[in-house]
């Protein structure tokens, strides 16, 4: 297992095919010099993703981490992507839902893509999280298939059955990907840096 801030992540998972843990990190904030950690994140990708990133071959990880075009290419690469988010600090699902909503809505609005359909799709995701309670070690997963602009979000917590929701609005799906994988604007700088270093190494092979 790979430990991400004391949270274990399998180095590989299998969805429709084996995906490798290529990046990990945390979301946190600092209040009065005190670091509060919210979630640990693992990013699983098809190893073939490097085939779509060849123009960045030879670039060091610290350069890639600052290159939003690189992450745009990563997001758009037609490979399967899977995010595993593990709760470190208990919060209400509604709080997480609000963070996701504002991040996705702001990105859509900035690109002039926030229409009625997007609002409706986003509303459903927020409602999905509304009724959940994020106990420590609860797991949220985002599964982005290779060739469809959909996402399946699942939530598991101790003692409850897994809950799932499918997001079928391509614009909303794209912005959820960007929230976690969007380079310098991603929600977790540690995850972006870790991904950049791992992909830089993979590209050198």
């Amino acid at each position: 297992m790979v430990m991400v801030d004391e949270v274990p992540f399998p180095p590989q998972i299998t969805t429709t095919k084996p995906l490798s843990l290529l990046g990990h990190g945390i979301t946190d904030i600092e209040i009065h010099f005190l670091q509060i950690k919210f979630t640990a994140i693992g990013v699983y990708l098809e190893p073939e993703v490097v085939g779509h990133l060849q123009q960045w071959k030879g670039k060091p990880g610290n350069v890639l981490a600052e290159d939003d075009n690189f992450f745009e290419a990563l997001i758009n690469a037609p490979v399967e992507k899977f995010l595993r988010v593990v709760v470190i600090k208990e919060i209400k699902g509604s709080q997480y839902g609000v963070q996701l909503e504002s991040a996705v809505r702001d990105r859509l609005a900035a690109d002039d893509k926030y229409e009625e359909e997007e609002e409706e799709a986003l509303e459903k995701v927020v409602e999905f999280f509304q009724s959940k309670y994020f106990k420590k070690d609860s797991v949220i997963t985002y599964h982005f298939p290779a060739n469809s602009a959909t996402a399946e979000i699942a939530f598991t917590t101790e003692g409850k059955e897994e809950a799932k929701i499918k997001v079928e609005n391509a614009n909303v799906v794209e912005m959820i990907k960007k929230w976690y994988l969007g380079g310098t604007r991603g929600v977790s700088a540690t995850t972006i840096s870790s991904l950049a270093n791992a992909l830089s190494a993979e590209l050198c092979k």
Side-chain angles (χ1 to χ4, degrees):
M1 291 298 239
V2 177
M3 299 306 282
V4 181
D5 225 274
E6 294 170 27
V7 179
F9 280 78
Q12 207 179 45
I13 56 160
T14 302
T15 47
T16 53
K17 54 177 75 170
L19 306 180
S20 307
L21 178 63
L22 281 178
H24 50 76
I26 58 167
T27 55
D28 63 343
I29 56 167
E30 238 182 59
I31 299 174
H32 304 306
F33 305 109
L34 191 69
Q35 186 193 28
I36 298 171
K37 298 167 185 174
F38 291 111
T39 61
I41 300 163
V43 180
Y44 293 85
L45 300 164
E46 283 180 50
E48 293 78 54
V49 70
V50 292
H52 302 277
L53 303 169
Q54 285 303 311
Q55 70 183 87
W56 286 275
K57 199 179 173 82
K59 294 264 174 78
N62 58 345
V63 171
L64 295 181
E66 297 292 322
D67 187 342
D68 286 349
N69 291 331
F70 173 74
F71 283 94
E72 187 80 23
L74 173 67
I75 287 166
N76 293 328
V79 299
E80 209 169 325
K81 303 170 186 78
F82 188 90
L83 303 175
R84 184 171 182 264
V85 181
V86 181
V87 176
I88 296 174
K89 181 172 170 46
E90 283 193 20
I91 58 165
K92 290 179 179 153
S94 55
Q95 289 171 279
Y96 178 84
V98 164
Q99 291 169 15
L100 181 143
E101 181 182 33
S102 65
V104 169
R105 192 179 48 213
D106 291 352
R107 283 171 169 78
L108 287 167
D111 284 1
D112 266 342
K113 289 179 179 171
Y114 190 59
E115 305 291 337
E116 220 166 287
E117 291 87 5
E118 283 72 27
E119 189 177 357
E120 223 165 89
L122 193 50
E123 194 74 12
K124 280 190 186 142
V125 177
V126 175
E127 268 168 32
F128 172 76
F129 286 119
Q130 200 81 41
S131 57
K132 313 282 181 281
Y133 188 73
F134 285 23
K135 278 195 288 206
K136 187 172 165 31
D137 297 328
S138 304
V139 179
I140 308 124
T141 60
Y142 293 87
H143 180 213
F144 304 103
N147 292 313
S148 90
T150 60
E152 186 173 75
I153 304 174
F155 176 75
T156 36
T157 190
E158 200 189 348
K160 296 229 171 129
E161 273 189 26
E162 182 181 58
K164 284 184 173 180
I165 182 175
K166 195 165 181 184
V167 187
E168 291 179 323
N169 180 295
N171 290 331
V172 169
V173 170
E174 181 195 358
M175 298 313 173
I176 293 175
K177 284 182 196 167
K178 286 190 172 172
W179 188 37
Y180 275 109
L181 304 172
T184 55
R185 292 187 58 216
V187 69
S188 163
T190 46
T191 304
I192 293 300
S193 162
S194 158
L195 258 179
N197 288 327
L199 287 166
S200 167
E202 288 294 319
L203 283 162
C204 288
K205 284 181 184 171

